[in-house]
């Protein structure tokens, strides 16, 4: 391996985080949400590791589900956005996929396809106003799905807009709306909770939870790290110092000369850039570690490189030293904050360019 940039993914951490989600909602079955390449961690590798244990997987769309089946995944797979074209229903039947259903076109196309689907997750728009039917329409859809004779079971599903904000009343309102819909339908399983709701809200007993970000050890809450909420961060992005130079006070660095040395110090150049998924908007001061010591970004992020300095100017960085961009003691949530985004975005924007290394527990690293 030439370029020393590695994303180390701890599969055991993901399994332990899945178990933690189930422990928090012990009456529920749980999806492992592996859409968007398992939030950048590698959907096939992650799903293979979890396949024997999970109740089911969830992805956004059918092509993600087919890729998992082709990789030998046998657990049920739910399409969270349902199908985009009527022909996909036949493929759902063929592969045994479960599907969300959220509009009349999907219902019509399902009926026209005559496909048999084991579980349909009917999406209720309980207030997010992005996908789903309202509470008056939901019972009509449930009846149509049952009457079609094509569907084994209908589950009522919704998604929260503000579950990560405990002070926002929207989640309570969405839950109340959901319960009204559920009562008007009668006996139906529920699926409402993403990571934030699993961790902090009281959600309906039984049914299905849908943990995503927490599986990867990343906090769904602003200003709190995954570790601080009992999770095991799964990804460590690390690289090496590939060049060093002495700066004089006032020297300026990188594109736009966006960093100015406050005093004489050694600057290190590290092999990682926005071409790998490291955020271009990360500001001077974004935390990282060099050789286990606190360091930070000093200069604008390039496509293939960043320039950095030690927090303590006296501790000089040296060629070949290990640099942790996130993971371990460098919370990805904090890096994201310096780049004006969230941990979700940093990991899902990882490119195929770093070397991906899969380990099973911290001992094997
Ligand atoms: C419908 C649905 N359920 C569950 C999830 C998982 O959410 P989180 O990653 O916040 O746990 C998502 C992610 O966006 C989603 O769209």
């Amino acid at each position: 391996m030439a370029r020393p940039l590695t994303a180390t993914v701890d599969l055991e951490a993901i399994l332990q985080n899945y178990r933690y989600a189930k422990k928090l909602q012990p009456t529920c079955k749980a999806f492992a949400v592996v859409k968007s390449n398992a939030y950048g961690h590698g959907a096939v590798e992650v799903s293979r590791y979890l396949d024997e244990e999970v109740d089911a997987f969830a992805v956004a769309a059918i092509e993600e589900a087919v890729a998992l089946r082709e990789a030998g995944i046998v657990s049920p797979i739910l399409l969270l956005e349902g199908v985009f074209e009527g022909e996909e229903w036949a493929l759902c039947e063929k592969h045994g996929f479960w599907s969300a259903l959220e509009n009349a076109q999907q219902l019509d196309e399902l009926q026209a396809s005559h496909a048999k689907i084991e579980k349909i997750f009917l999406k209720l728009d309980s207030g997010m106003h992005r996908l789903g039917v309202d509470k008056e329409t939901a019972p009509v859809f449930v009846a149509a799905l049952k009457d079609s004779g094509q569907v084994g079971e209908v589950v009522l599903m919704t998604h929260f807009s503000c579950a990560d904000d405990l002070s926002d009343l929207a989640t309570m309102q969405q839950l109340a709306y959901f319960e009204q819909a559920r009562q008007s339908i009668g006996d139906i399983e529920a699926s409402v909770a993403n990571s934030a709701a699993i961790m902090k809200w009281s959600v309906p007993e039984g049914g299905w939870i849908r943990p995503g970000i927490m599986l990867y050890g990343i906090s769904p809450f602003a200003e709190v790290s995954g570790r601080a909420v009992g999770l095991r961060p799964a990804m460590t992005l690390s690289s090496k110092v590939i060049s060093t130079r002495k700066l004089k006070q006032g020297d300026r660095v990188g594109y736009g000369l966006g960093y100015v040395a406050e005093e004489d110090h050694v600057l290190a150049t590290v092999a990682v850039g926005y071409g790998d998924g490291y955020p271009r908007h990360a500001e001077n001061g974004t935390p990282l570690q060099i050789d286990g010591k606190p360091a930070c970004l000093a200069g604008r992020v390039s496509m293939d490189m960043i320039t950095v300095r030690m927090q303590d100017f006296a501790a000089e960085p040296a060629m070949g030293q290990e640099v942790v961009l996130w993971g371990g003691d460098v919370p990805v949530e904090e890096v994201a904050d310096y780049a004006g985004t969230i941990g979700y975005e940093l990991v899902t924007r990882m490119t195929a360019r770093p070397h991906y290394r899969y380990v099973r527990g911290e001992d094997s690293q």
Side-chain angles (χ1 to χ4, degrees):
M1 182 183 61
R3 195 162 172 262
L5 177 65
T6 305
T8 303
V9 176
D10 181 353
L11 297 168
E12 186 61 23
I14 299 173
L15 180 62
Q16 295 303 329
N17 292 329
Y18 176 82
R19 287 183 181 155
Y20 183 53
K22 286 196 76 159
K23 209 167 140 195
L24 291 173
Q25 300 292 341
T27 64
C28 295
K29 290 155 280 183
F31 288 101
V33 181
V34 292
K35 63 186 174 134
S36 200
N37 198 28
Y39 291 49
H41 291 68
V44 167
E45 291 81 358
V46 169
S47 304
R48 279 189 180 143
Y49 196 72
L50 301 185
D51 200 17
E52 275 190 15
E53 172 129 353
V54 295
D55 300 316
F57 290 104
V59 295
I62 201 159
E63 51 269 43
E64 293 178 324
V66 170
L68 293 185
R69 277 283 180 272
E70 285 173 351
I73 300 303
V74 297
S75 300
I77 305 175
L78 169 69
L79 313 181
L80 286 168
E81 285 179 39
V83 304
F84 294 89
E85 291 171 23
E87 302 86 74
E88 291 173 17
W89 286 117
L91 213 50
C92 287
E93 176 175 333
K94 180 178 163 206
H95 290 292
F97 296 150
W98 303 348
S99 181
L101 187 144
E102 70 93 21
N103 64 44
Q105 184 177 322
Q106 288 175 334
L107 178 60
D108 291 346
E109 288 172 349
L110 172 60
Q111 288 167 332
S113 75
H114 302 291
K116 296 261 192 295
I117 307 294
E118 195 186 335
K119 280 190 206 290
I120 289 287
F121 283 65
L122 176 62
K123 193 142 189 184
L124 181 77
D125 178 4
S126 60
M128 191 165 182
H129 302 326
R130 189 176 65 171
L131 292 177
V133 297
D134 62 24
K135 66 177 166 35
E136 286 71 34
T137 314
V140 182
F141 269 57
V142 172
L145 288 165
K146 286 191 172 157
D147 291 350
S148 73
Q150 295 169 255
V151 177
E153 189 191 357
V154 183
V155 178
L156 190 66
M157 163 191 187
T158 200
H159 195 53
F160 295 127
S161 49
C162 305
D164 55 327
D165 183 350
L166 301 176
S167 64
D168 197 312
L169 289 179
T171 305
M172 300 297 286
Q173 287 160 354
Q174 285 192 262
L175 274 168
Y177 188 97
F178 185 85
E179 280 312 320
Q180 284 168 19
R182 205 171 162 203
Q183 274 162 26
S184 70
I185 293 166
D187 185 26
I188 189 163
E189 272 200 336
S191 178
V192 305
N194 59 358
S195 298
I198 292 164
M199 299 181 84
K200 294 287 178 200
W201 292 92
S202 152
V203 300
E205 300 247 310
W208 289 84
I209 54 173
R210 306 189 305 268
I213 197 74
M214 70 180 291
L215 298 181
Y216 308 101
I218 300 173
S219 166
F221 307 105
E223 286 148 24
V224 188
S225 72
R227 273 192 182 162
V229 288
L231 300 172
R232 280 173 59 170
M235 184 191 287
T236 303
L237 184 64
S238 61
S239 188
K240 290 207 163 140
V241 174
I242 58 164
S243 187
T244 61
R245 67 213 55 252
K246 287 186 174 159
L247 294 187
K248 291 256 173 262
Q249 185 188 30
D251 279 351
R252 300 193 294 165
V253 175
Y255 286 119
L257 299 176
Y259 171 77
V260 185
E262 288 165 33
E263 55 185 85
D264 295 3
H265 70 83
V266 176
L267 184 85
T269 302
V270 178
V272 65
Y274 62 80
D276 306 298
Y278 193 85
R280 182 176 175 279
H281 294 290
E283 291 175 1
N284 286 334
T286 301
L288 52 116
Q289 261 186 356
I290 300 180
D291 199 28
K293 298 181 201 79
C296 66
L297 201 61
R300 201 180 280 174
V301 174
S302 308
M303 191 185 293
D304 316 313
M305 285 170 276
I306 58 173
T307 42
V308 304
R309 67 165 176 83
M310 307 306 293
Q311 288 288 10
D312 173 6
F313 285 125
E316 295 189 352
M319 288 286 288
Q321 280 179 331
E322 168 99 356
V323 181
V324 175
L325 287 322
W326 64 66
D329 293 327
V330 185
V332 67
E333 297 88 346
E334 211 178 307
V335 177
D337 199 34
Y338 273 85
T341 183
I342 51 177
Y344 287 81
E345 190 182 5
L346 290 201
V347 287
T348 52
R349 282 179 58 174
M350 292 285 298
T351 69
R353 204 173 175 216
H355 172 67
Y356 285 78
R357 177 171 159 256
Y358 290 91
V359 299
R360 297 161 182 221
E362 277 158 19
D363 294 347
S364 52
Q365 284 187 33

